[in-house]
Amino acid sequence: QVQTLAGSAGAATFAGGLSVLPSPIPLSLGVPLTLKTLSLVAPVALSISMISILETLLAGKVIEDFAHEVNESTPKSDNDRMLAGLSLGTAASALMGGFGGCGLIPQTLLNAQSGGRGVLSSASYA
């Protein structure tokens, strides 16, 4: 007999629906909020945030250059607005139990080359 993925992982794994979405993170995770804990977490969090910021700014620059090739009168992107959106999105995601992301260059360029030009194209691509 052939073993299926549902058979080995359990049918509840593939049930779907709202019950499988992550719940907000509880305020008490059992991790002490001390200076030692913060000194361990802060460098990693800062590194991840810097990588996200740089990746988002690079994706914006790539799209700006691509759009300029297509249309000479394309306005420059607003980096402050991009980073504010990244920050708000990451914070909202964390409050709902998720984790943040950033503007990825290959996916962003593929979206633009496929004809995506507005905010809805980014949302539908996600």
Side-chain angles (χ1 to χ4, degrees), residues 37-63:
T37 305
L38 290 176
S39 69
L40 291 172
V41 172
V44 177
L46 185 62
S47 299
I48 292 171
S49 66
M50 292 306 294
I51 291 169
S52 295
I53 287 170
L54 290 173
E55 182 82 16
T56 299
L57 291 174
L58 282 171
K61 178 67 175 151
V62 167
I63 291 305

Side-chain angles (χ1 to χ4, degrees), residues 35-93:
L35 279 175
K36 183 177 180 183
T37 305
L38 290 176
S39 69
L40 291 172
V41 172
V44 177
L46 185 62
S47 299
I48 292 171
S49 66
M50 292 306 294
I51 291 169
S52 295
I53 287 170
L54 290 173
E55 182 82 16
T56 299
L57 291 174
L58 282 171
K61 178 67 175 151
V62 167
I63 291 305
E64 191 175 291
D65 291 345
F66 175 78
H68 187 68
E69 288 176 11
V70 174
N71 182 0
E72 294 291 327
S73 64
T74 304
K76 290 186 65 76
S77 58
D78 185 356
N79 291 338
D80 292 336
R81 186 174 174 196
M82 257 194 304
L83 294 180
L86 173 70
S87 301
L88 288 173
T90 301
S93 177

